[in-house]
């Protein structure tokens, strides 16, 4: 009996959660992109421009191939996840204050804000990735993914880590203003830890062993392996990456709980 | 019922700490019309936010066994950059109400016409109050939390509120925060005086108002 009422309780909660996430997604798309011209397709534009421009630049500087991979494909496959990460981190800071008016509705929880923002960023990045893949493939600049499952698994690990880290940034930015000030520069310095511009196999074994503590590197290695196949030698550690992300998620959730108690809503 | 049990609220800003509520206890029954009296800064809005779950008490607890609106006030609840219709759509989605019905009710109650297609930040406070009331009335809560805002409406709006709250919804509870004894006298059958962080309930509104005027 108790089990059944617990189940019903859970299902009710689940329904509310689905409704809230759905409503928040639409609201976020409206407020950020409006309804004019291409609307929420704007979300794809920045990663596309970045990946395209840097890819072109690298082709000029380093030639069309690097370690057996097409340089445009290499840059594009790194830059799209990177812009996802940087956007997500900067959007996570002060997310609670920016959305304070939503807290007037009790069914909306502060962690929903973070989840929705990351979800939108992730969907936009995936669309940009697919779009770029199709466009570049037509010019012979992008391979057909050798192992799509591996590509998706790597992306999932990447997204999971970014989400868990944002869950920490958001409440911390509320507790101390220093976080917001240091965020852009720390994200910039962290670029080598994201595996964007190099494969782990190009490094010394010692440097590699340190870098593999970053779930972003594991995720990126898996994505590149899924994309280019046996041309690359990937290094990754799934259980460590997931473990680190879950620990971060746990810390983030308890920080959020604390911050919710002291949050001042206008 | 809504039970407030031993609610304390402190705000901290840097090294400063301000204690707004120090042990507030009271119960709101299903048909109560509670007037919350207090001077500026006594903590009326703070208490209303605690009851509505917008902010959390530093210690103590609010237990709700009936549905309770968000605090209807000058601030909050709307996204200024979205239109009145978009806000209505959002509220309909999160409270699981059919949008069509809500839209019709909002159009009829607010009488804002084409203004509903404009961003809410372009609304006057009276227009905002109309929108807020129409949305929360469309959802149909057991208890309405009203923070001052009822006074900004014109006579037409006040009449509509009277019809909705005192003719159609006699069986609902209302908590009305105000420093105006006039308003409380008109709408309430119970009163709570909030003074120096403590709430004192009175069953006789006239007596409460007399005591309040001496504060």
């Amino acid at each position: 009996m108790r089990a059944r009422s617990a189940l019903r309780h859970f299902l009710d909660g689940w329904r509310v959660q689905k409704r809230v996430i759905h409503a928040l997604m639409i609201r976020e798309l409206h407020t950020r992109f409006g309804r004019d011209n291409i609307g929420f397709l704007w979300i794809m534009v920045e990663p596309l421009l970045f990946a395209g421009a840097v890819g072109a630049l690298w082709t000029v500087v380093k030639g069309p191939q690097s370690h057996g991979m097409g340089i445009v494909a290499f840059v594009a496959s790194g830059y799209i996840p990177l812009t996802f990460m940087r956007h997500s981190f900067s959007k996570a800071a002060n997310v609670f204050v920016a959305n304070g008016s939503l807290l007037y509705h009790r069914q909306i929880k502060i962690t929903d804000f973070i989840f929705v923002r990351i979800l939108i960023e992730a969907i936009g990045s995936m669309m940009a990735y697919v779009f770029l893949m199709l466009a570049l493939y037509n010019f012979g600049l992008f391979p057909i993914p050798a192992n799509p499952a591996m590509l998706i698994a790597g992306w999932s690990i990447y997204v999971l880590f970014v989400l868990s880290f944002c869950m920490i940034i958001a409440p911390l930015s509320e507790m101390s203003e220093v976080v917001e000030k240091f965020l852009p520069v720390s994200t910039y310095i962290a670029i080598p830890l994201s595996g964007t511009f190099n494969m782990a196999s190009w490094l010394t074994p010692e440097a590699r062993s340190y870098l593999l503590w970053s779930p972003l590197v594991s995720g990126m290695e898996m994505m590149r392996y899924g994309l280019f196949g046996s041309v690359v030698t990937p290094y990754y550690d799934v259980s460590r990456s997931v473990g680190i992300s879950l620990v971060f998620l746990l810390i983030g959730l308890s920080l959020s709980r604390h911050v919710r108690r002291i949050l001042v809503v206008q | 019922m809504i039970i407030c049990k031993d609610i304390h609220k402190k705000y901290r800003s840097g090294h400063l700490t301000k204690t707004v509520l120090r042990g507030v206890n009271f119960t709101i029954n299903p048909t109560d019309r509670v007037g919350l009296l207090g001077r500026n800064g006594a903590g009326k809005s703070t208490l209303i936010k605690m009851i509505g779950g917008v902010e959390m008490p530093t210690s103590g607890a609010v237990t709700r066994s009936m549905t309770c609106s968000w605090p209807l006030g000058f601030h909050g609840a709307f996204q200024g950059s979205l239109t009145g219709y978009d806000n209505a759509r959002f509220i309909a989605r999160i409270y699981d109400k059919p949008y069509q019905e809500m839209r019709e009710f909002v159009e009829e109650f607010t009488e804002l016409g084409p203004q509903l297609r404009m961003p809410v930040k372009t609304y006057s406070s009276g227009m905002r109050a109309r929108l807020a009331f129409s949305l929360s009335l469309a959802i149909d809560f057991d208890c309405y939390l009203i923070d001052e805002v009822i006074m900004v409406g014109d006579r037409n709006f006040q009449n509509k509120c009277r019809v909705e709250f005192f003719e159609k919804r006699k069986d609902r509870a209302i908590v009305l925060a105000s420093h105006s004894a006039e308003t409380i006298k008109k709408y309430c059958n119970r009163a709570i005086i909030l003074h120096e962080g403590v709430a004192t309930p009175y069953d006789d509104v006239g007596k409460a108002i007399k005591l309040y005027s001496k504060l």
Side-chain angles (χ1 to χ4, degrees):
Chain A
M1 224 28 208
R2 182 175 289 174
R4 184 175 294 174
S5 88
L7 180 70
R8 180 173 310 146
H9 200 72
F10 175 78
L11 287 178
D12 283 347
W14 177 249
R15 266 193 290 275
V16 174
Q17 187 67 52
K18 269 199 323 201
R19 256 188 357 241
V20 166
I21 295 292
H22 171 77
L24 284 176
M25 295 263 295
I26 294 172
R27 173 185 169 279
E28 179 92 3
L29 291 175
H30 272 165
T31 49
R32 262 176 63 191
F33 305 106
R35 289 169 206 255
D36 303 331
N37 53 61
I38 62 170
F40 92 106
L41 291 177
W42 276 116
I43 201 171
M44 288 173 36
V45 173
E46 201 197 331
L48 282 180
L49 287 179
F50 241 118
V54 178
L57 191 68
W58 278 41
T59 311
V60 174
V61 178
K62 304 196 178 188
Q65 287 256 315
S66 169
H67 299 263
M69 291 172 279
I71 196 116
V72 174
F74 182 75
V75 169
S77 64
Y79 241 104
I80 290 178
L82 182 69
T83 45
F84 161 69
M85 174 187 87
R86 293 177 61 178
H87 271 181
S88 301
F89 287 177
S90 66
K91 289 241 148 57
N94 293 331
V95 65
F96 299 157
V97 174
N99 284 314
S101 67
L102 291 175
L103 293 175
Y104 273 71
H105 310 290
R106 274 194 310 283
Q107 59 273 59
I108 302 177
K109 308 292 177 203
I110 51 174
T111 44
D112 294 338
F113 305 163
I114 308 167
F115 184 75
V116 164
R117 288 207 164 169
I118 307 303
L119 191 61
I120 286 179
E121 291 294 329
I123 291 172
S125 304
M126 278 195 295
M127 285 166 50
Y129 203 106
V130 171
F131 185 83
L132 203 63
M133 188 151 67
L134 294 174
L136 290 177
Y137 174 75
N138 274 321
F139 297 101
L141 293 172
F142 213 90
I144 293 177
N147 183 348
M150 182 59 94
L151 180 60
I152 293 167
W155 173 239
S156 310
I157 283 179
Y158 201 96
V159 173
L160 177 67
F161 179 74
V162 169
L163 176 69
S164 70
F165 202 72
C166 288
M167 285 280 181
I168 294 183
I169 293 175
L172 274 187
S173 70
E174 205 58 53
M175 292 156 77
S176 153
E177 283 176 16
V178 182
V179 175
E180 196 201 344
K181 308 279 185 283
F182 278 94
L183 196 62
V185 63
S186 12
T187 316
Y188 193 76
I189 288 173
I191 287 176
L193 301 177
S194 70
T196 306
F197 297 118
N198 51 283
M199 297 295 296
S201 61
W202 306 351
L203 304 170
T204 63
E206 207 200 340
R208 189 153 63 221
S209 71
Y210 287 123
L211 270 189
L212 280 181
W213 280 101
S214 162
L216 298 175
V217 171
S218 278
M220 188 68 87
E221 291 278 309
M222 289 167 74
M223 283 191 266
R224 291 249 165 81
Y225 183 47
L227 188 62
F228 295 105
S230 51
V231 182
V232 296
T233 317
Y235 290 87
Y236 55 87
D237 189 333
V238 173
S239 51
R240 194 195 289 173
S241 302
V242 173
I244 291 173
S245 304
L246 290 183
V247 170
F248 277 32
L249 205 56
L250 212 63
I251 297 172
L253 287 175
S254 53
L255 280 176
S256 297
R257 194 181 166 84
H258 167 69
V259 162
R260 181 65 181 99
R261 294 200 75 84
I262 57 170
L263 200 64
V264 179
V265 182
Q266 198 198 12
Chain B
M1 275 211 310
I2 296 174
I3 302 166
C4 296
K5 203 173 166 224
D6 202 25
I7 292 180
H8 288 74
K9 183 67 182 177
K10 284 181 191 162
Y11 287 107
R12 280 184 58 189
S13 169
H15 299 293
L16 294 173
T17 305
K18 191 188 178 208
T19 308
V20 181
L21 304 174
R22 28 189 122 221
V24 168
N25 287 289
F26 63 87
T27 301
I28 303 160
N29 298 305
T31 56
D32 279 356
R33 304 285 156 116
V34 186
L36 199 55
L37 281 161
R39 299 176 53 188
N40 288 340
K44 300 184 295 293
S45 296
T46 304
L47 184 56
I48 287 247
K49 279 183 193 165
M50 305 285 139
I51 301 173
V54 177
E55 285 181 12
M56 307 286 163
T58 309
S59 68
V62 180
T63 322
R64 302 176 198 88
S65 55
M66 56 185 180
T67 61
C68 172
S69 80
W70 67 86
L72 305 171
F74 291 112
H75 295 295
F78 294 129
Q79 176 74 31
S81 59
L82 293 181
T83 66
Y85 281 129
D86 278 339
N87 274 293
R89 225 178 256 124
F90 178 75
I91 301 264
R93 278 193 196 107
I94 57 173
Y95 287 94
D96 201 18
K97 290 282 162 193
Y99 173 62
Q100 199 53 42
E101 274 172 39
M102 188 172 251
R103 184 187 165 122
E104 280 158 21
F105 185 80
V106 167
E107 281 170 353
E108 190 211 306
F109 187 89
T110 62
E111 296 173 28
L112 287 175
Q115 187 80 30
L116 285 169
R117 288 200 199 90
M118 305 271 281
V120 169
K121 63 184 167 199
T122 63
Y123 290 19
S124 71
S125 47
M127 290 158 75
R128 263 176 222 235
R130 281 172 181 258
L131 185 62
F133 274 85
S134 68
L135 289 173
S136 65
L137 287 170
I139 293 166
D140 217 10
F141 292 105
D142 296 331
C143 175
Y144 285 86
L145 307 175
I146 303 166
D147 188 3
E148 301 274 9
V149 76
I150 209 163
M151 277 82 71
V152 302
D154 52 21
R155 177 171 304 207
N156 163 295
F157 172 71
Q158 303 248 350
N159 283 340
K160 283 187 168 189
C161 285
R162 212 195 51 239
V163 171
E164 292 293 338
F165 285 118
F166 295 90
E167 289 165 26
K168 293 187 187 165
R169 289 179 181 72
K170 279 192 188 128
D171 53 337
R172 308 302 162 83
I174 293 176
V175 181
L176 175 61
S178 181
H179 49 76
S180 146
E182 203 66 25
T183 317
I184 301 281
K185 202 188 282 175
K186 201 158 97 192
Y187 288 98
C188 304
N189 58 19
R190 275 183 67 198
I192 292 172
I193 295 181
L194 202 55
H195 187 58
E196 288 174 343
V198 182
T200 323
Y202 297 89
D203 281 330
D204 180 350
V205 177
K207 188 180 160 200
I209 287 172
K210 211 174 279 171
L211 285 169
Y212 170 69
S213 63
K214 287 183 192 146
L215 286 179

